[in-house]
Amino acid sequence: MSISLSDVKRIASLSRIAVSDAEAEATRAQLSGIFSLIEEMQAVDTAGIAPMSHAQEIVLRMRSDTVTEADQHEAFQKGAPQVEAALYLVPKVIE
Amino acid sequence: MQWEVVIGLEVHAQLSTESKIFSGASTAFGAAPNAQACAVDIALPGVLPVLNRGAVERAIKFGLAVGAKVARRSVFSRKNYFYPDLPKGYQISQFDLPVVLGGEISILVDGAEKKVRLTRAHLEEDAGKSLHEDFHGMTGIDLNRAGTPLLEIVSEPDMSSPLEAVAYAKELHSLVRYLDICDGNMQEGSFRCDANVSVRRPGAPLGTRREIKNLNSFRFLQQAIEYEIQWQIDTLENGGKIQQATVLFDSDKGETRAMRSKEEAHDYRYFPDPDLLPLEISEAWIEEVGKTLPELPQAKRSRYVSDFGLSAYDAGVLTSSKELAAYFEEVVSIYSDPKVCANWVMGEVNGWLNKAGIEIARCPISSRALAGLLNRIGDGTISGKIAKEVFEAMWNGEGEADAIIEAKGLKQISDSGALEKIVDEIISNNPSQVADYRAGRDKLFAFFVGQAMKATKGQANPAQLSEILKQKLAG
């Protein structure tokens, strides 16, 4: 399957990535390569094979329900661009 | 023309664990901003989630209580979307292999029982909170809630009226509190409902649904669904079409408003979270959890009807919360007339609680104290009417029933000599009424009772008084 330039631009827009026309063409070629690999994999007959949810055949380890973490927000917030009243500040988003 | 309403609910119940679902940070409500957001919750590079056994245990408990299948193997997936209160850029949830499958909830609407089937219940983490006010045009992010364990409980579209939806939500709310897996505090967001609503002509295929998000009270749930149904019917009857959409309920205006349509809907790109292995639940663990199940509301209701001889309605009211049921049972264990106990708990106790806007847990009159009061009615020390006066004094912290009766001199007058004297006086003071009564105006009997009660400040033993009056008036 080959994808079109407009597909690339749509995906870029959905991913919130700014892509120039030249980059879009290069990306189109790369993505087409990836899609042909996927096509190859999709040709494999997987009927009767349970979907794999993890690469290893082991199961989840759990922890007991106890509080082990102390308040470290001051240390964490040293790396934040903007903080006020212990809140992380981000550009306004209202859905 | 007739329309049929189809409603399904998704409920997010916050699980009552001490720590978060994938980290050891506390889940306590009301902490200072970000004080309970650890490295895992804020998604610092390199951190890994470790599942909280307590969250899984609560999910198993729920599954067993609703007669569902607890999956021996379930899988955590990533639900991807961008929002600043979701630091990882994805929410860890469950998708095609949830921990609880099927089950059902019985509801009682207008005296008729109805079963609502459950589709599934799955474990997931909550997101943080965005505060949009007062930050000079910026949004403040508090990640304390990020990573709090949720059980999302999804029903089949089995409800056909707003009342059924509310009955289902209330039943579920009562159940999670009985199971002690969720505190059910709706103001704090521990129990939130999303309602999927559609309408159709009878027999027609399902109509297009709209989903009302984040309803945090039973009243809003009912109002939002009522408004939405009317809106959909009006739209269709005016020749319009319903677009699948997510809507919000504006409780001030009492209306629903579209938030996003299907075209703009998110593609969440679910895939199994490579950081988490499949969750396996052993038969032994399920059995162990099964042993900890308390008596559930439905079983309690039937027991109240069969053992205590209460009506289905009374049983429903008394079992509406675990705490109220426990209070009632404590009263019954001391004063063994269940009907009298039920009337007092549902009448005075509930009435005063509602008036004060408090829960049974904070009731100023203990179950033992109430039983003490009932004992005094039972042994004839006070009448039911005086008992209400004593109850009010007890509510206001004036002490136990006996002390109040003593201090206020409310003891019923059961001394027949004293009563006879009072009756004699009334008869001699009201000759014309006595004559009329003796001439056949039976209704005047109430007048004499009234006079006697007035003379004794309501403290005459009613049965004894009536006896003496009858004798004396007969002449």
Side-chain angles (χ1 to χ4, degrees):
Chain A
M1 178 191 149
S2 68
I3 68 164
S4 69
L5 263 185
S6 63
D7 289 335
V8 172
K9 294 204 164 145
R10 180 171 152 72
I11 295 165
S13 141
L14 287 173
S15 316
R16 307 289 191 267
I17 298 172
V19 177
S20 71
D21 286 350
E23 284 170 327
E25 179 46 42
T27 308
R28 192 197 62 78
Q30 287 169 354
L31 285 178
S32 291
I34 292 169
F35 278 113
S36 59
L37 177 64
I38 291 172
E39 262 167 40
E40 238 176 90
M41 292 195 288
Q42 275 179 334
V44 180
D45 180 11
T46 56
I49 299 174
M52 189 173 73
S53 49
H54 200 273
Q56 283 177 293
E57 283 297 314
I58 46 178
V59 298
L60 194 58
R61 187 174 73 81
M62 282 173 257
R63 35 173 273 274
S64 70
D65 178 24
T66 41
V67 176
T68 54
E69 296 290 331
D71 177 8
Q72 293 188 71
H73 79 274
E74 279 177 17
F76 294 150
Q77 291 185 337
K78 280 185 186 146
Q82 224 180 324
V83 170
E84 189 178 311
L87 297 164
Y88 296 91
L89 293 194
V90 299
K92 193 152 197 160
V93 267
I94 292 189
E95 204 170 357
Chain B
M1 243 189 298
Q2 283 287 85
W3 290 95
E4 219 171 69
V5 175
V6 179
I7 305 165
L9 290 191
E10 289 170 21
V11 169
H12 287 89
Q14 184 181 312
L15 298 175
S16 56
T17 53
E18 297 293 319
S19 64
K20 294 191 178 171
I21 183 167
F22 296 117
S23 83
S26 167
T27 55
F29 184 81
N34 290 305
Q36 291 173 175
C38 73
V40 172
D41 306 324
I42 67 171
L44 290 187
V47 298
L48 284 172
V50 186
L51 182 60
N52 182 341
R53 169 177 277 268
V56 180
E57 196 173 275
R58 284 165 178 77
I60 298 173
K61 227 172 173 182
F62 177 79
L64 292 175
V66 296
K69 179 172 176 275
V70 176
R72 297 291 305 275
R73 184 171 183 277
S74 67
V75 169
F76 286 97
S77 291
R78 292 184 178 181
K79 177 180 177 177
N80 299 276
Y81 65 92
F82 285 111
Y83 209 72
D85 59 22
L86 186 77
K88 294 194 294 299
Y90 58 85
Q91 175 194 29
I92 304 177
S93 180
Q94 295 193 298
F95 187 52
D96 50 350
L97 295 168
V99 66
V100 172
L101 287 157
E104 63 182 25
I105 298 270
S106 281
I107 59 171
L108 207 60
V109 176
D110 292 334
E113 188 172 319
K114 177 170 177 168
K115 302 237 187 261
V116 174
R117 292 167 301 154
L118 299 183
T119 314
R120 58 187 276 161
H122 65 254
L123 285 164
E124 62 182 30
E125 59 178 343
D126 208 344
K129 259 186 191 156
S130 302
L131 305 159
H132 297 296
E133 304 88 22
D134 298 335
F135 298 104
H136 359 278
M138 306 278 281
T139 291
I141 304 291
D142 178 3
L143 295 172
N144 279 348
R145 202 180 61 185
T148 299
L150 301 176
L151 188 66
E152 179 175 334
I153 304 156
V154 184
S155 84
E156 290 288 305
D158 282 355
M159 288 150 279
S160 50
S161 72
L163 281 184
E164 285 187 8
V166 169
Y168 165 80
K170 283 188 172 166
E171 191 63 40
L172 201 57
H173 183 254
S174 152
L175 180 67
V176 296
R177 295 183 61 213
Y178 264 86
L179 294 172
D180 213 6
I181 61 173
C182 168
D183 68 17
N185 189 323
M186 297 178 84
Q187 283 86 44
E188 290 175 6
S190 300
F191 189 91
R192 322 193 276 268
C193 304
D194 301 341
N196 283 296
V197 179
S198 66
V199 298
R200 65 171 170 191
R201 297 291 186 198
L206 282 176
T208 305
R209 67 187 162 84
R210 303 213 309 167
E211 181 180 14
I212 316 167
K213 280 277 186 198
N214 265 333
L215 297 161
N216 65 355
S217 84
F218 296 126
R219 195 163 55 90
F220 292 163
L221 177 66
Q222 182 170 346
Q223 286 174 355
I225 295 175
E226 277 167 359
Y227 180 88
E228 178 64 22
I229 291 168
Q230 202 49 52
W231 183 86
Q232 291 191 13
I233 291 174
D234 290 348
T235 303
L236 291 169
E237 288 186 345
N238 290 327
K241 271 198 166 155
I242 306 294
Q243 297 286 329
Q244 190 174 334
T246 304
V247 303
L248 287 178
F249 178 63
D250 182 333
S251 55
D252 294 329
K253 290 185 184 147
E255 57 188 45
T256 52
R257 172 166 52 79
M259 195 165 104
R260 52 176 182 246
S261 72
K262 199 191 173 192
E263 286 79 62
E264 308 154 38
H266 291 298
D267 173 0
Y268 291 119
R269 296 173 292 126
Y270 280 99
F271 62 87
D273 190 332
D275 287 345
L276 290 157
L277 292 153
L279 166 63
E280 285 202 355
I281 298 174
S282 69
E283 205 61 56
W285 191 13
I286 297 175
E287 245 173 65
E288 202 181 298
V289 174
K291 286 183 199 144
T292 68
L293 281 190
E295 183 182 34
L296 299 176
Q298 216 184 337
K300 223 182 242 305
R301 274 200 297 273
S302 337
R303 184 163 63 82
Y304 283 15
V305 172
S306 62
D307 292 8
F308 294 152
L310 301 179
S311 71
Y313 176 81
D314 289 358
V317 173
L318 291 167
T319 56
S320 60
S321 83
K322 190 161 122 180
E323 292 77 15
L324 188 66
Y327 184 94
F328 167 70
E329 288 189 33
E330 282 157 20
V331 179
V332 174
S333 73
I334 306 173
Y335 186 73
S336 58
D337 185 337
K339 275 191 183 159
V340 170
C341 296
N343 287 340
W344 275 83
V345 172
M346 293 191 306
E348 294 305 297
V349 176
N350 249 355
W352 282 81
L353 288 174
N354 285 340
K355 224 187 310 174
I358 58 176
E359 298 284 319
I360 186 76
R362 291 181 45 218
C363 180
I365 300 178
S366 72
S367 50
R368 197 187 44 76
L370 178 66
L373 172 65
L374 300 185
N375 270 327
R376 290 301 156 260
I377 308 174
D379 66 14
T381 307
I382 53 171
S383 67
K385 194 158 167 270
I386 295 288
K388 291 193 178 171
E389 202 180 318
V390 178
F391 184 93
E392 187 172 348
M394 290 167 74
W395 184 279
N396 294 326
E398 293 175 33
E400 301 247 324
D402 285 342
I404 293 167
I405 294 167
E406 193 60 47
K408 298 198 168 195
L410 294 173
K411 217 174 239 174
Q412 198 158 249
I413 303 174
S414 303
D415 171 353
S416 49
L419 286 176
E420 276 176 30
K421 205 174 144 231
I422 291 163
V423 169
D424 285 340
E425 266 172 42
I426 292 170
I427 287 177
S428 62
N429 289 344
N430 298 281
S432 68
Q433 279 88 346
V434 174
D436 285 355
Y437 177 81
R438 288 185 177 151
R441 276 189 64 194
D442 292 347
K443 280 185 183 159
L444 276 171
F445 191 72
F447 164 79
F448 295 108
V449 174
Q451 291 296 309
M453 281 299 180
K454 209 168 135 192
T456 58
K457 296 196 193 100
Q459 283 163 246
N461 179 324
Q464 224 175 336
L465 173 68
S466 160
E467 191 73 11
I468 294 170
L469 268 173
K470 268 183 198 150
Q471 262 176 26
K472 301 250 175 196
L473 283 169

